[in-house]
Structures are given as structure tokens and as C-alpha cells.
Amino acid sequence: MKQAGFPLGILLLFWVSYVTDFSLVLLIKGGALSGTDTYQSLVNKTFGFSGYLLLSVLQFLYPFIAMISYNIIAGDTLSKVFQGIPGVDPENVFIGRHFIIGLSTVTFTLPLSLYRNIAKLGKVSLISTGLTTLILGIVMARAISLGPHIPKTEDAWVFAKPNAIQAVGVMSFAFICHHNSFLVYSSLEEPTVAKWSRLIHMSIVISVFICIFFATCGYLTFTGFTQGDLFENYCRNDDLVTFGRFCYGVTVILTYPMECFVTREVIANVFFGGNLSLVFHIVITVMVITVATLVSLLIDCLGIVLELNGVLCATPLIFIIPSACYLKLSEEPRTHSDKIMSCVMLPIGAVVMVFGFVMAITNPQDCTHGQEMFYCFPDNFSLTNTSESHVQQTTQLSTLNISIFQ
């Protein structure tokens, strides 16, 4: 919402969700037309070995970078949870983001990622979904209680902003599940295209409304001060948000193994013919998670990670490749609705990918790097320059005191 402009952001969110729904069904239709049961084999049969290699790189990079982003979130959120415990020294190394990332990796994400059957993560996914609903309630509550006390930036309500393409990248990151769609499809009882379509329609509708509630409540609360990680905007002494941070950290830890499954499957398909012995299964899982963990220890700004992963990996996986495969495989007439939509998605995906990458590099999101926001301090102060770079807004925040957060 911050990058696109609030009204345009809502419209883009609906549009990206529709494209995601359409392309997920299109992907499985392509698999049915080609007689393949993985994303890689579909592209291999459609575009040959070169297409197979390109997809393999994208299909590995997206979940791998997602694993890095989940580690960043877990480290940022859970460190603030433990810093909020009375009597705990905020500078204690054992509650720092680096230690928490390492600890959560060894105790939770690595053991869960060692499962060989993705269906075993069903209960874990259910817990994650329940926690997401709880977090949404907390964000909505704080939009009501905290939002009126935070100054609104001058450009808060403009219809559109120049960085809208970057917003599409972030939204693509949020909605994409194409890289593990065949894994989930194969885990269904009696999988069919019709059954898959019903599942996708229901899932996308639920997801888009959750995203809209999160985006609306978060943006209405913080407007132009919104960070790439929304929980970075809240103050550390807010007990309700601290509980939300804990739920959020648990949610991303439980989501992490889904991405690891895909990276491992890509490696297995490219280098081992699709089958891994128990030893190689363990070794590859440990290696992938170790590298992802090391990278996440070096990066603490989530926004740029989401944008680059969205425009470089998620966009081709959502917009370009499913459409290209279907157009080549389908024998439907050119006027068929699926073909028309595919022809529209291809060039749009290319534009988002190229311009989104350029804009993400030239106009990176602001990042607090874990620092408290200005409105978290109870003392009066004058805030100036709060427009683009927050111009001409002077606000006295004498009413913003600790009682808001209790």
C-alpha cells in the first residue's frame, strides 16, 4: 500500500490474486495436457532442456530466498518478544536476532524440513493458519487504538504512486505457491483439475481478504512510515503486539519447511533423477538450510528481499511460465478465454519483472534496521519533513504515552 498508493494498492491486490488463481489452475491444466506431474517436467516437455534449467533456477531461488526472509522475520520478531520480558537485558546475546535464528533453525525448522512427505506438514499448516487469524485480530485492534495517535504523512491518500510496480512484486511474493503446487496437488485424495480448481478458488478468496485486512489496518495505522516488516513499526513495550510477534514468529517458522521441500525437490530432480537416498536427503536438507541461515544472519532489511524475490522469481513463475506453457500445449482456438488471458499475462509479467527490478534497486524501501520508531517515545517532540520525505507536517505527540500500549 505504501509503494503503490492506498487505493491503487487495493485494486492491485485483487488483480494479483485473480492472476494467481488463474495461473495456478492453468499450471495443473498444463500438467494434464502434457502428462507431467511436476513443474519442471512440464516445462521440460514444453520448452526442452533450456527451459527446464531456467525454471529449475527460478524454482530453487524463490523458496530459498523465502527461507531467508522467514529467518529474518523470526529473528526480528522473536528477539523483540524476549527483550520485552521483565528483567531481561536487551543487549543479552542469547536474545539477539542471530542467536534466535540459529536456535529456531536447529530446534524447529531443520527437524520439520527433514520430513520426506509434504502431507505430514498438514497439521503444522493448520496451526500456522490459525495463528495468522489471531495476528490479524491484533493488527486490527491496534489500528483502532494506536492509529489515531500517529501522524499521517502528506501523501498518505494519493491514488497512485510511482513505485506501484514494486508493490506488484511484493504482492506476487505474498501469493505465489506455484513452485509447490504440484507437490500439493499430488497430496490430494483423487486429484483432478476440477477438484484442484475448487481448492484454489477457496484458498485464494480467503487469502486475499486476509491480505486486504492486514494491508488496510497496517497502512491506516502507519501510512508513509510503514516498514517492509509491519511488526517493525510497533513499539517494544506494547504487550499485545509482543504476543502478536510471538505468534508471527511461530507462523513463519512453521511455514519455512514448505519452502525447503521445494528447494530439495529441485536439487533432486536436476542432479539425482528425482530420487534421493536417506543419506543424500539429510545432507542436502542440512546444506540448503545452513546456507539460508548464514545469509539471513547478514541481512536485516526485509523489504528489499521481498521486492527482489517478487519481481525476479515470483513474477515469471506466476505470470510468464504457466501462460507460455499453456499457449504452446493447448489446442483450444485463439479466442478461448484461457488463451486470451494467457496472452495478456505474458507481456505484463515481462514489464513487471524488468521495471520492478530496476525500481527495487534504484528506489529501495526505507528500513529501520531494528530501531524503535519516533512515536514510541512518550516525550513531546516536533516532527518535520514527513512527506516524500514527509514534508511540512509538525505534530506534537504529547498524548502518545505508555498508556496506549497497555
Side-chain angles (χ1 to χ4, degrees):
M1 302 302 107
K2 175 186 174 182
Q3 298 288 70
F6 183 64
L8 180 61
I10 295 294
L11 295 177
L12 286 175
L13 202 52
F14 276 112
W15 178 70
V16 171
S17 67
Y18 172 75
V19 171
T20 302
D21 181 286
F22 176 82
S23 60
L24 281 168
V25 176
L26 204 66
L27 198 60
I28 299 302
K29 285 183 179 179
L33 289 170
S34 62
T36 55
D37 58 0
T38 68
Y39 203 164
Q40 290 167 288
S41 59
L42 167 62
V43 175
N44 189 24
K45 191 162 185 176
T46 309
F47 293 106
F49 188 67
S50 58
Y52 171 79
L53 284 180
L54 175 62
L55 176 76
S56 297
V57 171
L58 293 173
Q59 203 175 9
F60 176 85
L61 283 178
Y62 172 80
F64 181 75
I65 298 174
M67 290 163 64
I68 294 171
S69 68
Y70 293 158
N71 273 340
I72 293 172
I73 293 170
D76 288 343
T77 55
L78 294 180
S79 63
K80 290 183 174 61
V81 170
F82 295 124
Q83 287 170 6
I85 298 175
V88 173
D89 181 7
E91 302 300 323
N92 191 320
V93 67
F94 294 110
I95 61 170
R97 64 182 301 273
H98 295 84
F99 181 80
I100 289 173
I101 290 173
L103 182 64
S104 64
T105 298
V106 173
T107 55
F108 295 105
T109 55
L110 177 58
L112 289 172
S113 298
L114 286 171
Y115 279 123
R116 304 195 71 155
N117 185 354
I118 199 169
K120 291 187 176 181
L121 296 177
K123 293 180 180 179
V124 170
S125 297
L126 181 62
I127 295 171
S128 180
T129 304
L131 290 176
T132 300
T133 306
L134 186 60
I135 297 165
L136 176 58
I138 293 173
V139 172
M140 293 173 69
R142 279 297 175 253
I144 297 171
S145 62
L146 178 60
H149 300 279
I150 297 179
K152 309 305 177 190
T153 51
E154 189 178 86
D155 61 349
W157 313 118
V158 298
F159 180 82
K161 295 182 182 179
N163 295 342
I165 290 182
Q166 291 170 263
V168 174
V170 175
M171 293 172 189
S172 299
F173 177 93
F175 277 97
I176 186 175
C177 54
H178 299 60
H179 54 299
N180 56 25
S181 56
F182 280 97
L183 281 171
V184 178
Y185 177 73
S186 63
S187 73
L188 298 177
E189 294 181 6
E190 301 178 6
T192 63
V193 173
K195 190 173 184 179
W196 174 255
S197 298
R198 290 194 299 271
L199 174 67
I200 290 303
H201 297 333
M202 180 176 65
S203 300
I204 293 295
V205 167
I206 294 172
S207 296
V208 72
F209 279 105
I210 289 176
C211 282
I212 284 175
F213 279 122
F214 264 118
T216 301
C217 293
Y219 185 78
L220 291 180
T221 306
F222 303 110
T223 60
F225 304 112
T226 306
Q227 297 294 304
D229 180 352
L230 183 61
F231 272 100
E232 287 292 284
N233 279 98
Y234 295 101
C235 305
R236 296 182 185 180
N237 59 355
D238 186 338
D239 293 337
L240 180 62
V241 172
T242 297
F243 175 66
R245 285 193 178 101
F246 175 77
C247 295
Y248 187 33
V250 172
T251 297
V252 297
I253 288 172
L254 297 181
T255 307
Y256 184 105
M258 290 281 287
E259 309 300 347
C260 186
F261 265 74
V262 181
T263 59
R264 188 173 59 227
E265 184 198 37
V266 172
I267 293 173
N269 289 337
V270 173
F271 298 105
F272 299 93
N275 295 311
L276 290 175
S277 66
L278 179 60
V279 172
F280 277 109
H281 172 86
I282 295 173
V283 169
I284 290 173
T285 303
V286 171
M287 287 179 60
V288 168
I289 290 180
T290 300
V291 175
T293 302
L294 291 175
V295 174
S296 61
L297 293 175
L298 301 174
I299 302 172
D300 66 350
C301 196
L302 185 63
I304 188 65
V305 176
L306 299 182
E307 286 185 10
L308 290 177
N309 203 16
V311 297
L312 293 180
C313 300
T315 299
L317 289 172
I318 291 178
F319 292 82
I320 300 174
I321 298 176
S323 301
C325 288
Y326 184 79
L327 287 172
K328 190 166 183 179
L329 291 170
S330 176
E331 297 180 356
E332 298 286 354
R334 293 181 180 179
T335 55
H336 191 274
S337 60
D338 286 350
K339 281 203 168 181
I340 293 174
M341 184 63 183
S342 298
C343 290
V344 172
M345 286 168 55
L346 266 172
I348 291 177
V351 169
V352 170
M353 187 175 177
V354 173
F355 285 94
F357 173 73
V358 172
M359 295 183 72
I361 297 299
T362 57
N363 299 291
Q365 289 191 36
D366 295 333
C367 190
T368 63
H369 301 286
Q371 299 299 312
E372 285 274 74
M373 300 295 286
F374 67 89
Y375 46 75
C376 293
F377 301 98
D379 296 332
N380 293 356
F381 52 84
S382 186
L383 179 67
T384 58
N385 292 337
T386 56
S387 166
E388 188 197 347
S389 298
H390 316 315
V391 191
Q392 302 173 348
Q393 183 176 15
T394 303
T395 309
Q396 295 296 322
L397 296 181
S398 57
T399 58
L400 183 62
N401 52 52
I402 300 303
S403 64
I404 295 173
F405 306 113
Q406 295 177 345

